Amino acid sequence: MEGIVIRGLGGLYEVLRDGRVYECRGRGGLKRDRNILYVGDRVEFDQGAIGKILPRRNVLPRPPVANLDKLFIVVALSDPLPNLYTLDKLIVISEHCGIEPVLVLNKTDLEDPLSVREIYSSVGYPSFSVCAKTGENVDLLRDLMRGRTCAFAGLSGVGKSTLMNALAPNFVRQTGEISRKLQRGKHTTRAVELYPFEGGFLADTPGFSELEFSPCGLHDRSLLADYFPEFEPYSDDCFFRDCAHGKEKGCAVRAAVEEGRISRSRYENYLRMYEEIGPLRPWETTK
Ligand SMILES: Nc1nc2c(ncn2[C@@H]2O[C@H](COP(=O)(O)OP(=O)(O)OP(=O)(O)O)[C@@H](O)[C@H]2O)c(=O)[nH]1
Ligand SMILES: [Mg+2]
Ligand SMILES: [Zn+2]
């Protein structure tokens, strides 16, 4: 039988098939092949044992979830102020993993979304302005989720839980102060769970504010510029073929920034990510 893993806890997995949940264990062979089971995996199972993982479309390793269709990246327009570095980083990670990023600008009751919106629409990323508090435009998100497996990402306090509550009341119980008290320290390690939603699934993924590059396999910073599509029209004109678009002589990307044709905030975040990824370690160079 074929089903989808919606929950995992201590070697036990809940597999959903035709609206019924089966408790299963991973068969020994799976572990021998170093196949780790992820929530979101489509699997073949029989009599309480998962025998095979079907090919994955993608994987986000931490928090671990497979086969996401869309990642809703939430930014608050105010309280807290928009953190465009985290936004740009989450876009890069989601593109690198092969998951479609959807930008959600929340708290329109506090601040106008126009300036943030402009930066991203010019790159080609449409954004959705919503107010989780009043429910304004939340239906637009629900339409995008229909039949898909989706998750929310974004820093603490941007309104992910409030948004999920607005989408599906009683879905998430913890918002605001309560969740902040429960989330001790930086690394909340609550397991990912998938909830059936609008013919697809919604992932409850509390750790998605802490995404890092290296677990996602982005070690080679020379690939980073590929995830900044607005650089593409200029990078052929850089003096050096392997230009990193930093302080190099004759960098056409930097010139485009100076001329206001590329957003300065996007460019600066690119440079910061480039530093954050760092040079390849010796053991990473031979592939
Ligand atoms: N004014 C306003 N406040 C909002 C809106 N959405 C959420 N909030 C408030 O922002 C605070 C944080 O919201 P949460 O939903 O808990 O944020 P979160 O992203 O889930 O945060 P973590 O769980 O810590 O990652 C709460 O006090 C919410 O009431 C909104 O659209 N407008
Ligand atoms: Mg929350
Ligand atoms: Zn350049």
Side-chain angles (χ1 to χ4, degrees):
M1 295 194 289
E2 207 183 297
I4 180 162
V5 178
I6 56 167
R7 195 160 175 250
L9 247 180
L12 263 186
Y13 300 90
E14 286 181 3
V15 180
L16 182 72
R17 181 196 156 82
D18 288 341
R20 237 194 93 183
V21 176
Y22 299 81
E23 242 182 39
C24 297
R25 292 187 175 282
R27 207 165 261 152
L30 277 182
K31 277 189 198 129
R32 228 175 302 123
D33 300 338
R34 307 186 103 227
N35 272 327
I36 307 161
L37 273 161
Y38 285 91
V39 165
D41 268 331
R42 293 184 307 125
V43 294
E44 284 177 3
F45 69 104
D46 188 27
Q47 296 182 334
I50 297 170
K52 193 176 166 195
I53 305 172
L54 297 172
R56 291 172 177 142
R57 270 173 298 135
N58 56 55
V59 158
L60 268 182
R62 201 191 295 159
V65 52
N67 297 325
L68 281 181
D69 293 302
K70 293 174 200 278
L71 188 64
F72 286 79
I73 306 176
V74 186
V75 173
L77 294 159
S78 180
D79 186 29
L81 282 173
N83 185 324
L84 299 186
Y85 182 68
T86 302
L87 172 57
D88 287 333
K89 185 172 169 180
L90 288 170
I91 293 174
V92 166
I93 289 177
S94 129
E95 295 276 21
H96 182 71
C97 292
I99 302 162
E100 183 195 341
V102 180
L103 277 48
V104 180
L105 313 180
N106 187 33
K107 312 201 187 184
T108 49
D109 57 326
L110 302 179
E111 190 64 60
D112 191 281
L114 199 70
S115 59
V116 180
R117 229 187 160 143
E118 259 175 12
I119 296 177
Y120 293 91
S121 61
S122 68
V123 180
Y125 291 115
S127 57
F128 295 85
S129 309
V130 303
C131 181
K133 203 170 186 173
T134 61
E136 196 187 331
N137 279 346
V138 168
D139 280 345
L140 293 178
L141 301 187
R142 188 180 289 119
D143 289 342
L144 290 177
M145 291 175 170
R146 202 151 285 139
R148 305 270 188 264
T149 302
C150 304
F152 282 93
L155 288 175
S156 183
V158 297
K160 300 180 295 295
S161 301
T162 312
L163 212 45
M164 283 157 102
N165 261 329
L167 283 162
N170 308 324
F171 173 65
V172 186
R173 297 147 300 271
Q174 305 169 357
T175 54
E177 304 316 312
I178 309 161
S179 85
R180 232 162 286 164
K181 261 179 221 154
L182 286 176
Q183 295 191 355
R184 281 168 202 281
K186 271 192 153 184
H187 302 284
T188 332
T189 47
R190 238 180 68 207
V192 180
E193 292 179 40
L194 285 189
Y195 295 89
F197 182 67
E198 296 286 333
F201 294 95
L202 201 47
D204 184 10
T205 46
F208 265 150
S209 53
E210 312 287 341
L211 284 186
E212 285 165 41
F213 292 117
S214 63
C216 301
L218 186 48
H219 305 291
D220 184 354
R221 61 184 179 179
S222 70
L223 302 175
L224 187 60
D226 294 349
Y227 302 116
F228 286 77
E230 70 267 47
F231 292 5
E232 213 261 338
Y234 306 101
S235 48
D236 274 351
D237 296 330
C238 290
F239 182 80
F240 296 107
R241 264 194 91 83
D242 60 348
C243 184
H245 317 308
K247 295 193 174 107
E248 289 86 350
K249 177 179 128 186
C251 174
V253 169
R254 199 179 61 236
V257 176
E258 297 304 332
E259 288 160 16
R261 284 184 281 151
I262 289 175
S263 141
R264 185 168 293 276
S265 119
R266 290 270 298 166
Y267 176 67
E268 281 171 0
N269 289 339
Y270 162 82
L271 293 178
R272 190 169 151 196
M273 278 181 233
Y274 192 86
E275 289 309 312
E276 187 179 328
I277 295 170
L280 282 175
R281 322 293 194 283
W283 59 88
E284 288 164 348
T285 51
T286 46
K287 269 202 173 168

